Amino acid sequence: MDLDRLITNLPEYVLTQIVENAFQWFVVVDQDARILYMNQDYCKFLHIEQRDTIGRPVNEVIENTRMHEVVKSGEEHIASPHYIKGTYMLANRIPIRVDGVVVGAFGSVVFRDLHDWHHLSSHVKQTLEKINMGEIAHEPNSYQMTDIKGSSASILSIKETIHMIAPSDLPVLIQGESGTGKTLFAHSIHQLSNRSDEPLITVNCAAIPPNLLEAELFGQGSTSDRKSRIQLADGGTLFIDDIGSLPLPVQVKLLRLLNDGVVESLNSHHAEPVNVRIIASSSQPLTELIEMNQFRTDLYYRIQAITLNVPPLRERMEDFSEIISFIFHKTISQTGKRSLEFSKETLDYLNSYRWPGNIRELQNVIQAAVYLTSGDTITPDALPPQVKQRKIKYSPSSRTLAESVEEVERTILLDTLAQFPNKKEAALILGLSKSTLYEKLKKYDI
């Protein structure tokens, strides 16, 4: 049976299933780069109804898309980095030809996170090495205090507190915005505790459906031989990541664990004693969740006696050079691009950005920039658009008015040159003579 007959004989519902599930996310556009079809999963990710995508220009629906370039040039993009919603993905974009003429293009996301690709690459290499040695083993990531970079007053204070409280069995609450590295602090507490030889078990409450969280934490009793996270952590530490996502009924059982040291699984009325230290984290202040009746006050007071408030990256920029240097040198070492360096202009952009995603976002951007750079210098072209869109905002400080004006002027010069590298053209845009522009560039060491 030839391919045409096979396709013709397939029922419509089978074709629909193939189309929807052959790729995680995909889109098809016509010769005008207007969307002909986008699968449901991609639409859900973009928060758009599938029916509302049909006929729309693809660049209105997908951030930073390059599908129109493929239609225009007829050149395919294989494993091309695509920055969307705060992270890099890897996408394939293939022109569709009929009788040699490009009539559209097909795009699919290969990896939804550049880290997934990098992790898979590393994992395959490590697994092959272990197979060659006749051994396959799995060791979870473990972080030490030395992995926490920075010497700002706030970070030094947290490190000092960790050294003081780590040997105890007291519960610890770690609060801070997403991406600030709360996991590193939790691991550091465990590694410095008297339980360091025992397991550190993590449960991410936001990653597990609420209806399954209780069974995951406390177990299912006689109906299952599988150990719960709490049982696995017996003798060691249980790290409850994003504790604010814990359903209220489960919070009651956690409170009993903290108060009485016993755990009662589902489908069982037998209370089993356990010896577990609790470390919890939250990206949202728990007091706000209490006001919204989403978190129990008694549980909060039980875990908040020792609270570590991890500051966002923008509030400890004195640590920025150390953090970026650590991430950068680790990345170029992993990739073998040891001769790579940042251009001064690139560093200026990185230093002036607010980093709403904190250290995790910084790590994403640096790793992607390293992979996207083919030469020896990372230029601003390797940075995502939002990092290069500086917002000029004045806030009162110890600087004089003249100093603040100079800072704004320098920012405008950098932004203009980024868009118009030709200095003659930049001078025209800024309404300056060429000589005046050069004087200002010399003044600000640009």
Side-chain angles (χ1 to χ4, degrees):
M1 181 181 291
D2 59 34
L3 182 60
D4 289 341
R5 286 184 61 197
L6 175 63
I7 294 174
T8 302
N9 291 332
L10 282 175
E12 183 178 344
Y13 74 91
V14 174
L15 286 172
T16 302
Q17 287 295 309
I18 293 173
V19 169
E20 281 295 326
N21 299 300
F23 299 91
Q24 288 181 329
W25 298 337
F26 75 89
V27 62
V28 182
V29 301
D30 63 16
Q31 59 190 0
D32 297 318
R34 293 182 177 274
I35 295 175
L36 294 173
Y37 191 88
M38 179 182 287
N39 73 326
Q40 283 282 7
D41 283 350
Y42 206 169
C43 292
K44 287 179 182 178
F45 172 72
L46 296 172
H47 301 296
I48 189 171
E49 292 292 331
Q50 191 176 36
R51 62 178 179 272
D52 295 335
T53 65
I54 308 302
R56 289 181 60 181
V58 67
N59 59 346
E60 289 183 5
V61 178
I62 303 176
E63 175 185 0
N64 298 320
T65 184
R66 296 173 63 191
M67 291 289 288
H68 54 289
E69 296 178 15
V70 174
V71 173
K72 185 176 181 181
S73 67
E75 296 179 1
E76 63 183 26
H77 297 176
I78 302 298
S80 175
H82 183 175
Y83 193 83
I84 183 169
K85 286 199 172 184
T87 188
Y88 277 99
M89 303 173 181
L90 290 180
N92 289 340
R93 307 180 188 94
I94 310 297
I96 300 173
R97 289 184 169 87
V98 175
D99 297 329
V101 178
V102 176
V103 296
F106 172 85
S108 63
V109 173
V110 185
F111 287 102
R112 292 182 291 185
D113 191 317
L114 201 59
H115 287 300
D116 288 347
W117 171 77
H118 178 63
H119 175 73
L120 179 63
S121 175
S122 300
H123 176 69
V124 169
K125 291 176 184 176
Q126 292 171 8
T127 303
L128 287 174
E129 290 172 359
K130 290 174 181 176
I131 289 174
N132 291 333
M133 295 168 59
E135 174 189 5
I136 298 180
H138 172 69
E139 294 182 1
N141 288 330
S142 180
Y143 303 104
Q144 309 284 341
M145 182 75 85
T146 53
D147 293 312
I148 302 173
K149 302 303 176 183
S151 55
S152 60
S154 58
I155 293 301
L156 290 178
S157 176
I158 293 175
K159 289 181 178 180
E160 183 180 353
T161 302
I162 288 176
H163 278 290
M164 288 190 292
I165 57 94
S168 75
D169 285 337
L170 294 171
V172 180
L173 173 62
I174 307 172
Q175 294 193 136
E177 293 179 7
S178 178
T180 50
K182 296 185 289 297
T183 298
L184 271 67
F185 291 95
H187 279 237
S188 297
I189 295 169
H190 175 75
Q191 293 300 332
L192 291 172
S193 75
N194 299 328
R195 299 169 177 262
S196 58
D197 292 333
E198 300 297 330
L200 167 64
I201 303 298
T202 298
V203 56
N204 187 330
C205 299
I208 301 174
N211 61 317
L212 300 179
L213 256 175
E214 183 174 0
E216 190 69 27
L217 265 174
F218 295 92
Q220 295 183 339
S222 58
T223 62
S224 174
D225 294 329
R226 182 169 174 262
K227 286 189 174 183
S228 68
R229 300 289 179 98
I230 292 175
Q231 290 171 324
L232 291 171
D234 193 14
T237 305
L238 178 68
F239 175 40
I240 306 177
D241 193 9
D242 203 353
I243 192 172
S245 298
L246 208 60
L248 288 169
V250 185
Q251 292 179 28
V252 176
K253 298 187 73 169
L254 179 61
L255 182 61
R256 186 183 181 193
L257 169 64
L258 286 162
N259 288 335
D260 304 330
V262 295
V263 56
E264 187 176 302
S265 60
L266 286 171
N267 308 313
S268 171
H269 299 293
H270 173 67
E272 176 187 346
V274 288
N275 175 18
V276 174
R277 184 188 193 170
I278 301 294
I279 300 176
S281 75
S282 178
S283 299
Q284 184 177 359
L286 293 183
T287 50
E288 294 181 2
L289 295 178
I290 290 173
E291 292 176 1
M292 294 185 287
N293 296 318
Q294 294 177 7
F295 201 83
R296 291 181 62 93
T297 306
D298 48 4
L299 178 58
Y300 171 70
Y301 287 121
R302 188 67 180 79
I303 64 174
Q304 62 80 45
I306 298 175
T307 300
L308 306 180
N309 289 303
V310 183
L313 181 56
R314 62 184 175 276
E315 291 181 8
R316 59 180 185 111
M317 289 302 286
E318 60 265 48
D319 295 331
F320 190 77
S321 296
E322 182 181 349
I323 295 170
I324 195 174
S325 177
F326 173 75
I327 296 173
F328 177 64
H329 285 97
K330 183 178 180 180
T331 304
I332 62 175
S333 175
Q334 291 172 340
T335 59
K337 298 184 176 184
R338 298 180 184 275
S339 61
L340 206 59
E341 61 180 16
F342 288 105
S343 71
K344 185 178 182 300
E345 188 180 6
T346 302
L347 284 174
D348 283 338
Y349 277 120
L350 294 174
N351 275 280
S352 62
Y353 184 56
R354 294 278 293 171
W355 299 107
N358 294 293
I359 295 175
R360 185 185 296 125
E361 183 185 12
L362 174 63
Q363 181 173 301
N364 285 343
V365 168
I366 292 176
Q367 289 180 341
V370 168
Y371 281 101
L372 291 171
T373 300
S374 55
D376 293 331
T377 304
I378 298 178
T379 65
D381 291 338
L383 300 178
Q386 82 276 8
V387 176
K388 294 181 287 186
Q389 293 175 356
R390 293 193 184 94
K391 292 183 179 180
I392 302 172
K393 183 185 292 186
Y394 174 76
S395 58
S397 67
S398 57
R399 293 171 299 186
T400 65
L401 178 60
E403 289 171 339
S404 297
V405 170
E406 287 180 349
E407 182 182 348
V408 172
E409 188 173 52
R410 186 175 189 277
T411 300
I412 292 174
L413 289 169
L414 285 169
D415 287 350
T416 303
L417 287 172
Q419 297 182 56
F420 305 96
N422 184 293
K423 292 184 175 60
K424 183 177 180 180
E425 188 176 1
L428 184 63
I429 295 294
L430 292 168
L432 302 174
S433 66
K434 195 173 180 180
S435 59
T436 302
L437 176 62
Y438 276 103
E439 287 175 7
K440 292 185 178 293
L441 295 181
K442 183 178 180 181
K443 174 182 177 181
Y444 296 117
D445 191 25
I446 297 175

